[in-house]
């Protein structure tokens, strides 16, 4: 017997009862999430420190603050988000009412990863609640301390009839995916994403896949190397490099590489001191398995900066690799650690060609003092997100959607985009029961003279264009 069947049936019964539909219920649950963050702040910071050695500063800005902002935005905007959206009408429907109504899907599943174990549970959960769904939350078993908080503490702040936290590893997740959900939101790697998509296809379940990839970072010759180094080092080594939108490799000329390396060394020393292992501001690798995988990647190219590691602490120093080839192991998979390879290209054209022959990344970065170079990189490539002369900052705007394209994912969220992701956009037209003479134009027996009139009522005509000679 499926161990999750009773839980899912209970949630489905609650959804069918329409308990989650009223705006008052949604607001109450969102306020519960807000209390969860505020009343358990120390426990959350402690869990993040235990799982990832995450500094409180990083935990505050990338986990707690982002979640609180999403909750506040939803509470501020929920009434307007839930309103029916009027749409333009053709002549045949001028006397009717046409609108889009956003309805909840039903019982939805959120599968979260370990690298941002609070953010990547709560941000999609905010949208799922705001949209009126019942939710199954599957936190990662690898972030054990946060998993415990999710299991023992989070349910106290939510309606137990409408929300459930389920636990387990790959086997339990596979069993969970055998059940029918009305929507699945998955964040993780591409390999598992394919498994989730296959499971969803058996029930024709719509999904959002937030995956990863190898995010390029192009550094133009016309740049301030220290500014670039400061920004790249911060968002490459943030969370010990275990971030899906971190730059996975740098593309630059050999001349720029020679200017960039000492600048990166200065940035790392300024951020983490002469011995980063003793810095309170540098995280650790999540598990021994990932630690050994990362250490194996150090054989690619040549270590120009860092390279030290300590298996007992799962510590890996901020590391830069040079003389890297496209065929090296470090270029065959998403690194997900504090390793930054540099590959040499001689021009913007060569960099664009290199990027375009690979899978589309989740994020792409370009650094240059010349705005035209940044614009060219934006125009001539494709990625889930793009940021010129910085990293991460595009993710701080809830007005910008976050998501991948192609191999880096499908669907988008953050802010209202999360509400929309968890909503079915229902097309609605309300017509009069009278006016049958107008409707008679479309009925058999068909008359040719009626066709022209009917088409004039429903067709969209192209607007005339005025050409100045």
């Amino acid at each position: 017997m499926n161990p999750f069947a009773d839980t899912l049936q209970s949630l489905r019964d609650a959804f069918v009862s329409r308990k989650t539909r009223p705006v008052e219920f949604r607001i109450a649950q969102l306020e519960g999430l807000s209390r969860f963050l505020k009343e358990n702040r120390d426990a959350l910071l402690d869990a993040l420190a235990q799982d990832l050695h995450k500094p409180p500063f990083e935990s505050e800005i990338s986990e707690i603050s982002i979640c609180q902002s999403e909750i506040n935005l939803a509470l501020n905007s929920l009434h307007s988000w839930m309103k029916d959206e009027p749409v333009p009408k053709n002549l045949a429907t001028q006397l009717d009412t046409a609108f889009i109504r956003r309805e909840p899907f039903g019982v939805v599943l959120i599968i979260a990863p370990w690298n941002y174990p609070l953010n990547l549970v709560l941000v999609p959960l905010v949208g799922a609640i705001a949209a009126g769904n019942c939710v199954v939350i599957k936190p990662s078993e690898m972030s054990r301390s946060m998993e415990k908080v999710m299991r023992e503490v989070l349910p106290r702040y939510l309606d137990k009839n409408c929300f459930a936290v389920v636990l387990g590893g790959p086997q339990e997740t596979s069993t969970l995916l055998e059940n029918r959900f009305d929507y699945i939101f998955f964040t993780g790697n591409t390999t598992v994403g394919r498994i989730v998509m296959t499971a969803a296809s058996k029930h024709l379940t719509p999904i959002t896949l937030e995956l990863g990839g190898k995010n390029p970072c192009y550094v133009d010759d016309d740049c301030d190397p220290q500014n670039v180094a400061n920004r790249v080092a911060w968002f490459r080594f943030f969370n010990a490099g275990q971030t899906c939108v971190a730059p996975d490799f740098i593309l630059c000329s050999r001349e720029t590489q020679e200017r960039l390396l000492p600048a990166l060394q200065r940035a790392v020393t300024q951020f983490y001191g002469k011995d980063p292992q003793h810095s309170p501001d540098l995280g650790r690798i999540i598990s021994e398995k990932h630690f050994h995988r990362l250490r194996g990647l150090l054989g690619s190219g040549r270590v120009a900066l860092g390279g030290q590691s300590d298996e007992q602490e799962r510590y890996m120093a901020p590391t830069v690799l040079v003389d890297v080839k496209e065929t090296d192991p470090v270029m065959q998979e998403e690194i997900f650690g504090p390793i930054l390879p540099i590959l040499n290209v001689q021009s913007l054209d060569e960099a664009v060609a290199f990027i375009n022959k690979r899978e589309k990344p989740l994020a792409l970065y370009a650094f240059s003092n010349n705005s035209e170079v940044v614009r060219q990189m934006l125009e001539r490539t494709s990625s889930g997100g793009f940021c010129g002369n910085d990293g991460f900052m595009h993710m701080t705007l809830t007005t910008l959607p976050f998501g991948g394209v192609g191999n880096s994912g499908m669907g988008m969220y953050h802010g209202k985009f999360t509400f929309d992701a968890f909503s079915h956009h229902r097309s609605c037209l309300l017509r009069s029961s009278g006016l049958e003479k107008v409707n008679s134009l479309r009925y058999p027996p068909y008359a040719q003279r009626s066709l022209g009139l009917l088409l004039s009522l429903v067709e969209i005509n192209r607007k005339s264009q005025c050409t100045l000679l």
Side-chain angles (χ1 to χ4, degrees), residues 305-325:
L305 170 65
Q308 301 85 3
S309 63
D310 183 332
E311 182 175 353
Q312 186 174 357
E313 281 194 25
R314 300 196 308 274
Y315 161 77
M316 182 161 287
T319 299
V320 177
L321 302 177
V322 296
D323 300 333
V324 175
K325 299 181 179 64

Side-chain angles (χ1 to χ4, degrees), residues 459-465:
E459 277 191 353
I460 297 175
N461 295 317
R462 184 174 180 182
K463 293 180 180 180
S464 59
Q465 294 182 340

Side-chain angles (χ1 to χ4, degrees), residues 332-354:
Q332 305 310 307
E333 60 182 74
E334 184 179 7
I335 296 171
F336 231 63
I339 302 172
L340 182 62
I342 299 179
L343 287 83
N344 296 135
V345 292
Q346 294 308 310
S347 65
L348 173 65
D349 289 344
E350 189 178 340
V352 168
F354 185 94

Side-chain angles (χ1 to χ4, degrees), residues 127-323:
I129 290 173
N133 297 280
C134 289
V135 187
V136 174
I137 302 160
K138 169 59 182 70
S140 173
E141 74 284 359
M142 293 182 66
S143 47
R144 295 177 182 175
S145 299
M146 184 58 71
E147 182 191 45
K148 183 179 180 182
V149 174
M150 292 292 173
R151 178 184 73 242
E152 297 179 359
V153 183
L154 180 61
R156 302 175 196 166
Y157 294 85
L158 298 171
D159 189 303
K160 293 178 175 60
N161 294 317
C162 302
F163 305 95
V165 177
V166 301
L167 308 180
Q171 182 57 54
E172 289 79 9
T173 303
S174 296
T175 303
L176 180 63
L177 287 167
E178 292 173 2
N179 297 276
R180 182 178 71 83
F181 290 92
D182 299 299
Y183 198 90
I184 297 175
F185 190 103
F186 170 80
T187 305
N189 64 52
T190 303
T191 300
V192 181
R194 289 191 175 97
I195 296 172
V196 173
M197 191 170 185
T198 300
S201 69
K202 295 176 182 178
H203 302 288
L204 297 180
T205 301
I207 59 174
T208 289
L209 296 178
E210 294 297 341
L211 310 177
K214 297 193 71 64
N215 305 313
C217 178
Y218 175 67
V219 181
D220 186 39
D221 288 344
D222 183 4
C223 71
D224 181 324
Q226 194 59 60
N227 286 350
V228 173
N230 292 342
R231 298 177 191 190
V232 170
W234 181 67
F235 69 92
R236 168 71 268 190
F237 304 128
F238 191 98
N239 198 33
Q242 299 166 120
T243 304
C244 60
V245 291
D248 224 59
F249 59 93
I250 286 177
L251 294 173
C252 67
S253 69
R254 187 166 291 276
E255 294 75 19
T256 293
Q257 174 183 300
E258 295 309 310
R259 299 162 61 211
L260 201 55
L261 284 174
L264 285 167
Q265 177 67 75
R266 285 191 293 271
V268 169
T269 301
Q270 179 183 344
F271 294 171
Y272 307 113
K274 292 183 178 180
D275 184 1
Q277 185 170 1
H278 295 102
S279 169
D281 298 321
L282 185 65
R284 295 295 186 266
I285 308 306
I286 184 67
S287 69
E288 288 185 12
K289 177 182 176 181
H290 281 280
F291 174 84
H292 288 296
R293 178 186 63 82
L294 289 167
R295 196 154 66 176
L297 297 179
L298 296 179
S300 299
R302 173 174 61 86
V303 174
L305 170 65
Q308 301 85 3
S309 63
D310 183 332
E311 182 175 353
Q312 186 174 357
E313 281 194 25
R314 300 196 308 274
Y315 161 77
M316 182 161 287
T319 299
V320 177
L321 302 177
V322 296
D323 300 333

Side-chain angles (χ1 to χ4, degrees), residues 22-38 66-82 123 125-131 158 398 415-416 419:
V23 66
E24 294 80 8
F25 177 86
R26 306 183 197 193
I27 289 174
Q29 303 310 302
L30 291 171
E31 289 176 339
L33 279 186
S34 184
R35 291 196 305 276
F36 166 72
L37 288 177
K38 292 173 182 176
I66 285 179
C67 293
Q68 189 64 64
S69 291
E70 292 279 347
I71 294 167
N72 292 344
L73 177 64
L75 286 169
N76 292 342
S77 311
L78 189 56
H79 283 90
S80 64
W81 289 353
M82 290 177 63
V123 172
L125 179 59
V126 168
I129 290 173
L158 298 171
T398 56
K416 185 175 183 294
F419 175 84

